[in-house]
Amino acid sequence: MTRRTFGGLCVAAAPSPAAGDTSAPFRGANWFNATPTRAWLEAAREKKIGYVRLAPDKWKSAGRDFLVGDCDRFTSPPAADVRTLVQWLDAAHEQKLRIILTMLSLPGSRWRQNNGMKDDVRVWREEAALAAAERFWKDLARELKDHPALFAIDPLNEPHPERAGRAAAINEFHRRMHGAIRDAGFAGPLVLESGDYASAGAFPLLKPVADPQTLYSFHCYDPYEYTTKRLNKGRPYPGRKVLEQAIAPVAAWQKMHGLSAHRIYCGEFGCARSVPGAAQYLTDLVELLEAQRWAWTFYAFREDTWKEMDYEFGTPSLLSILERRMAG
């Protein structure tokens, strides 16, 4: 085993592809916090979270957009931002956490919340934007490819080519990002999300790539009018059958393409903790994901900007439902 220095920390380079073993479903949490802290990482380890899906876009950047520099004029990932990310990957490695790295923004696709609440759909319409996103991932994956904390790369959180009227563009995007990341030498798992903001209903449009180290991901907040606090208005939990129907397109797609269960990953799921029946919702959904033997990471652990999704609040704590599954 070779050793390499990241951010001043000398660590053992993870062997490949064993470091990205996905032969059994993994479980964990999302970390989209605006301010990263060592206390969060230490608490995650204490709670036996193990796998962390990280989107660092909210962190303070050397440029307009963290890691991208400027989504309008991408040149290369800012060195200062890369150093910041590596420092936090080092800290995650110290806690024995494995990171699934995703981005909310790419060149030609700035995250809506950082874009005046307007969708940025250039990456779905313009070759120049798609090529810039490709260069971004080739550059960043080359920098990070040997880091032992980096378990997987998910090129874009909740892609939505439908907003550009080009739903099928998801497959060209995936093909290009997959190629760029593999060309950069990253041999661990890649995560490709469905369109329509990673909805289960968009799975029929997905085309698998010829790579056994690729996982296919969806997010589940169904039904949205129930799980979202501002929309709920006292709605009761609609029952397990509704959840079974919500994830059915993913199960059907997996069967149609003859893929193993460990190739399917629910990257996000959750429910506002104060809506009626939230505990039963989480219990049922986790049981359904476990029955399918799919990997999952819940949203979210110790969220610092969206307290309705911080499951340590309230009595009983909703986090205990998820902890039991992660520990098992």
Side-chain angles (χ1 to χ4, degrees), residues 78-132:
D81 288 0
V82 174
R83 286 195 297 271
T84 296
L85 177 59
V86 167
Q87 287 167 3
W88 285 104
L89 290 177
D90 291 345
H93 182 65
E94 290 174 354
Q95 298 301 323
K96 297 181 170 55
L97 302 177
R98 311 197 77 178
I99 299 296
I100 300 148
L101 178 65
T102 191
M103 292 292 292
L104 305 179
S105 294
L106 291 179
S109 182
R110 181 177 284 119
W111 183 40
R112 190 169 183 265
Q113 280 87 328
N114 283 352
N115 198 47
M117 299 306 291
K118 296 178 181 178
D119 286 308
D120 182 1
V121 298
R122 290 170 294 168
V123 77
W124 310 113
R125 290 178 174 168
E126 302 172 12
E127 168 58 28
L130 185 59

Side-chain angles (χ1 to χ4, degrees), residues 32 53-57 65-68 71 85 100-107 109 111 136-137 140 153-158 193:
F32 283 26
R53 182 170 176 267
L54 165 65
D57 300 63
D65 303 289
F66 189 78
L67 285 176
V68 182
C71 291
L85 177 59
I100 300 148
L101 178 65
T102 191
M103 292 292 292
L104 305 179
S105 294
L106 291 179
S109 182
W111 183 40
F136 167 82
W137 271 119
L140 187 61
I153 291 175
D154 177 348
L156 182 60
N157 179 69
E158 297 189 347
E193 300 187 23

Side-chain angles (χ1 to χ4, degrees), residues 51 111 138 220 224 276 296:
Y51 289 80
W111 183 40
K138 185 173 288 188
C220 188
Y224 194 66
W296 52 261

